[in-house]
Amino acid sequence: MLLPKKTKFRKMHRGRRRGDSKGQTLVQFGDYGLKSMDAGWVTNRQIEAARVAITRSIKRGGKMWIRVFPDKPVTKKPAETRRGKGTGAPDHWVAVVRPGKILFEMEGVPATDAAEAMRLASHKLPLRTKFVQREGVH
């Protein structure tokens, strides 16, 4: 699963979810992409599940890029713990996704196969997504 090797700080504020993606809004590496239509957090487990769904669907043909990385730690307090005493220990990692961000890219497969693979991957993600093609690809 994806997680940073080392971070400057163990814990991070939750942040805001408003606004569109600042960058990574175009398909740059492959021919086809999966674009986010919502804002939210995507966990490292969800990214891995989507990756497995794509690779199984295209049967190891073509090439795939993961354009999101979970670099934000999310903390959780132990079960049956009273409130207070600060935030809990880091529990898992998430990638902050805003509308318009490309999550996955792919090339080397027909458009119908790529669309089906991205559809299967989108079912593993907690966001609305859209299948997109690079400019000039038919």
Side-chain angles (χ1 to χ4, degrees):
M1 256 179 293
L2 296 170
L3 63 136
K5 288 189 189 90
K6 189 171 124 184
T7 57
K8 190 167 183 181
F9 300 106
R10 281 179 62 230
K11 299 174 184 179
M12 199 180 278
H13 291 181
R14 291 175 65 87
R16 300 281 180 269
R17 295 183 192 211
R18 51 189 292 263
D20 291 340
S21 181
K22 278 187 59 172
Q24 297 183 355
T25 57
L26 301 172
V27 178
Q28 292 179 327
F29 299 102
D31 296 331
Y32 311 105
L34 190 66
K35 182 180 243 190
S36 165
M37 306 310 292
D38 286 337
W41 287 351
V42 182
T43 68
N44 52 356
R45 290 170 184 263
Q46 290 164 343
I47 294 170
E48 177 65 14
R51 183 195 68 79
V52 168
I54 290 172
T55 53
R56 285 196 178 147
S57 173
I58 60 175
K59 298 182 177 65
R60 295 205 306 270
K63 188 165 165 55
M64 188 185 83
W65 290 266
I66 302 173
R67 296 282 307 273
V68 289
F69 186 81
D71 56 356
K72 181 184 186 74
V74 176
T75 61
K76 190 151 173 50
K77 290 177 85 70
E80 300 177 19
T81 306
R82 291 192 176 193
R83 297 290 90 206
K85 309 244 184 331
T87 181
D91 181 56
H92 61 276
W93 297 86
V94 298
V96 179
V97 175
R98 295 210 165 86
K101 186 174 198 126
I102 301 290
L103 306 173
F104 297 95
E105 291 188 25
M106 174 185 309
E107 75 173 10
V109 292
T112 54
D113 294 351
E116 176 61 15
M118 295 297 189
R119 185 189 69 81
L120 292 171
S122 71
H123 289 304
K124 311 292 183 197
L125 301 171
L127 313 160
R128 287 183 308 129
T129 58
K130 182 167 82 170
F131 178 73
V132 292
Q133 296 186 359
R134 191 158 47 120
E135 300 297 320
V137 175
H138 295 310

